[in-house]
Amino acid sequence: MRRPAVAGINLGHDGGAAILTEHTIVAIGEERLNRTRYSPGWQAALLYCLQAAGLTLADLDLIGVSGLGHTPPAPAMTGLRHLGIDERRVLAVDHHLSHAYTAYSLSPHEKATVLVVDGAGNAGDTETVYHATPAGIVRVAAAPAGRPRAGGIGATYEAFTNYLGWHEQEAGKVMALAAYGSPNAATTEPLFDVDGAQVRGRLNLTHQEGVAEFAARTGADFGPAGGRGRGLAGADAAAYLQHHTETALVRLAGAAIALTGEPRLAMAGGVALNCVANEAVRASGARDLFVPPPASDRGQALGNALAAWHRATGEIPRRPVHADSFGRTYSDAEIEAALRREPASGLVERRRCAFSWRGDADIARTAAQMVAEGQLVGWHQGGSELGPRALGHRCILADPRTVASRDTLNTRVKHREGFRPFAPAVLSRAAEDWFTPLSAPSLLSPFMLGAPRLHPVRADLVPAVVHVDGTARAQLVDPDHEPLFARLITEFHRLTGVPMVLCTSFNDTEPIVETPAHALATFQATELDALCIGDYLAEKAPSRQNGIHDRP
């Protein structure tokens, strides 16, 4: 009997597509292809997934679809009919249930409490609890009826992010800024009331207007709106928000576990990307906490495909993940086409510079040597990450031992706020020597979704990747699951005595690169020194009047 092939698409922001078969998962966000951050849409992503899986639209038995709004999208409103997809092959999936599928199906837990927390789902959902077992995913608690969306944890975090001067999708900047402030300096007013598994926030309005109204009502001093990290009041506002978010999540997680009776916890939704809060939840007793790497709406398409598989087969899909590599791998021919600047590669050069390139028999060793020498190296290997963290497939690598490498990376390539920390990718076997016992390796470790604390004597050795509070947004790299990346770090360890490299996403202000052409364009447009792409090395050549060095 033929096993089904199913797909998922997300109609909201962070649009994308996924395809699931018995032996394959492929997924990508639309922004990685159209190069517009947080982009809605799914058409290019679906074509990408079909090609990677070797399927056509006719091969798909069911397509799961989700979106924002009061109700899930009706099949007739998805646009799939224009592609010849009968509405009977379309499954509408509740937004929070889609998150629950990614949290449970990608986890190692046979049974779990699932907690979904985000800015908004369908029907006013902001915090939802599920009991997940092989028999199904059952909703057991949700936000209080009639409470406005502004009172949710995710909407509150978005509102403060807006107030401080950023897009609501840039909440990670607020999390980083919080370490520089005091949680009680702006006000001692509570921000959330948690009653069992229900949360009532104190904001009455969404976006920055909600924070301004709350400040006027309580006398809180959050500083002027739009400060973007300038001034102590903004840091204090961020610290206040982060502290109360952590407190609310800890209480909510405990109540959720008590409701289901399942001690193993899986979380999803945009709030689950808050790695500092995740560490607080773990410390409170949820030691087996799992968060999928695409926890935010970037994972909606995959969650919809998982839901479609359940509907098509009657079986809850169990696909535990050890690495975030849901994209396709590019062939040597595709890489060489980009390096030769062939139009068919899709190369769009924002800046054209001289470089040379060659094949390399040991690309991991070569990259490690370059990083140890202080060079900034682009690393494009295997299938891309679906989540927002760079985890060894589409990243920029630098030496963690000097502050100069961090500052150079910021000024020459990333152009980010100086208060934001860079993350280390660490050999898993070295974790106990570098991190405190309370920050032991966990299910969060492979995905940069925790914030372990470094031993103080070790922190001074890697100042480029330690945040001001002594934590690091670390990825632990297991050679069994990420052999090439682990080999690079192992070689760097041999050369320097340090078992980690600085690892950040391969982009400047655009979305993370996907194709070899994207990688080459960003390599040229920034001041990266080298690009390791598959088994090929590209290096910047000395500037010449006329041109471009090519392969000899």
Side-chain angles (χ1 to χ4, degrees):
M1 179 179 175
R2 184 183 76 86
R3 299 289 279 171
V6 300
I9 60 174
N10 173 26
L11 301 184
H13 63 81
D14 290 311
I19 284 181
L20 179 65
T21 69
E22 187 171 15
H23 303 294
T24 302
I25 302 179
V26 59
I28 192 169
E30 190 80 0
E31 71 166 21
R32 301 289 177 90
L33 303 173
N34 68 17
R35 315 306 297 151
T36 301
R37 299 189 76 178
Y38 319 123
S39 172
W42 50 266
Q43 292 88 340
L46 182 58
L47 178 61
Y48 169 104
C49 291
L50 287 168
Q51 292 174 335
L55 300 173
T56 68
L57 285 172
D59 296 318
L60 299 177
D61 297 276
L62 195 61
I63 302 176
V65 183
S66 68
L68 298 174
H70 187 69
T71 60
M77 303 302 293
T78 62
L80 288 166
R81 182 174 57 186
H82 300 293
L83 298 178
I85 303 294
D86 189 282
E87 292 178 12
R88 290 170 294 183
R89 294 167 59 199
V90 180
L91 173 68
V93 183
D94 175 82
H95 187 91
H96 272 209
L97 182 59
S98 177
H99 280 314
Y101 271 101
T102 60
Y104 175 58
S105 295
L106 302 184
S107 83
H109 304 322
E110 183 179 2
K111 299 179 180 180
T113 298
V114 176
L115 177 59
V116 177
V117 186
D118 67 3
N122 303 130
D125 288 339
T126 51
E127 302 86 22
T128 310
V129 179
Y130 297 88
H131 186 198
T133 71
I137 301 177
V138 179
R139 180 177 172 126
V140 296
R147 190 216 64 193
R149 184 176 83 85
I153 295 174
T156 298
Y157 216 101
E158 289 177 353
F160 272 85
T161 301
N162 286 159
Y163 184 86
L164 291 171
W166 294 297
H167 188 282
E168 55 264 27
Q169 295 294 319
E170 298 178 294
K173 296 182 180 183
V174 179
M175 180 184 71
L177 181 62
Y180 292 86
S182 169
N184 297 315
T187 179
T188 57
E189 285 285 326
L191 188 56
F192 300 106
D193 299 304
V194 182
D195 181 11
Q198 294 191 324
V199 176
R200 290 177 172 83
R202 297 294 183 94
L203 297 195
N204 295 324
L205 302 170
T206 59
H207 301 92
Q208 73 174 43
E209 292 81 7
V211 179
E213 189 275 336
F214 176 75
R217 175 164 33 97
T218 62
D221 179 13
F222 297 135
R228 302 178 71 85
R230 297 182 294 270
L232 187 57
D236 290 338
Y240 168 77
L241 169 68
Q242 181 66 28
H243 168 73
H244 285 278
T245 296
E246 292 174 22
T247 301
L249 283 174
V250 165
R251 293 185 61 186
L252 184 59
I257 290 170
L259 270 177
T260 67
E262 298 289 353
R264 292 179 173 84
L265 178 65
M267 288 176 56
V271 175
L273 291 177
N274 191 311
C275 57
V276 179
N278 291 345
E279 208 65 55
V281 172
R282 280 192 67 235
S284 73
R287 306 301 295 175
D288 291 324
L289 173 63
F290 173 82
V291 177
S296 68
D297 283 6
R298 297 168 191 255
Q300 279 280 300
L302 179 54
N304 297 336
L306 292 164
W309 182 272
H310 187 194
R311 174 66 63 88
T313 66
E315 304 167 1
I316 292 273
R318 302 290 298 120
R319 304 292 178 94
V321 294
H322 303 286
D324 184 359
S325 180
F326 292 96
R328 55 162 291 207
T329 297
Y330 292 85
S331 68
D332 287 352
E334 290 172 304
I335 294 170
E336 288 197 15
L339 292 169
R340 291 193 177 105
R341 293 184 162 87
E342 294 177 6
S345 72
L347 179 62
V348 177
E349 295 174 297
R350 307 190 296 278
R351 173 185 171 195
R352 189 176 174 90
C353 72
F355 67 89
S356 62
W357 63 274
R358 61 177 173 81
D360 192 290
D362 193 344
I363 198 70
R365 182 173 182 270
T366 298
Q369 290 174 329
M370 289 182 159
V371 173
E373 293 166 359
Q375 297 191 55
L376 303 180
V377 178
W379 181 255
H380 181 290
Q381 303 292 338
S384 59
E385 301 90 346
L386 180 59
R389 310 281 198 262
L391 300 172
H393 299 276
R394 301 289 187 275
C395 34
I396 295 170
L397 307 176
D399 191 338
R401 296 173 297 163
T402 67
V403 173
S405 65
R406 178 196 68 196
D407 295 343
T408 301
L409 183 57
N410 250 341
T411 56
R412 286 172 48 185
V413 180
K414 298 290 287 186
H415 307 111
R416 312 190 326 170
E417 296 86 354
F419 61 80
R420 294 171 62 190
F422 285 108
V426 188
L427 288 175
S428 56
R429 63 175 178 267
E432 291 185 5
D433 292 335
W434 284 78
F435 297 99
T436 63
L438 290 178
S439 300
S442 71
L443 296 176
L444 304 174
S445 302
F447 309 124
M448 286 185 185
L449 289 171
R453 187 171 299 278
L454 282 99
H455 287 297
V457 294
R458 296 287 200 182
D460 291 341
L461 301 177
V462 287
V465 294
V466 182
H467 200 26
V468 67
D469 59 1
T471 63
R473 279 67 166 152
Q475 173 196 9
L476 298 192
V477 181
D478 187 332
D480 291 338
H481 304 304
E482 295 282 6
L484 184 64
F485 197 36
R487 172 164 168 68
L488 184 157
I489 303 171
T490 298
E491 179 64 16
F492 185 84
H493 186 199
R494 186 187 70 79
L495 292 169
T496 67
V498 173
M500 66 184 75
V501 294
L502 185 159
C503 179
T504 188
S505 55
F506 196 162
N507 62 342
D508 180 359
T509 55
E510 84 278 24
I512 298 174
V513 301
E514 167 57 28
T515 69
H518 297 159
L520 186 64
T522 297
F523 167 63
Q524 293 185 86
T526 63
E527 294 187 48
L528 289 175
D529 298 301
L531 169 63
C532 296
I533 181 167
D535 289 325
Y536 296 86
L537 172 68
E539 296 180 90
K540 298 277 175 68
S543 179
R544 300 196 318 175
Q545 180 78 24
N546 297 314
I548 306 301
H549 284 210
D550 208 340
R551 186 179 186 175

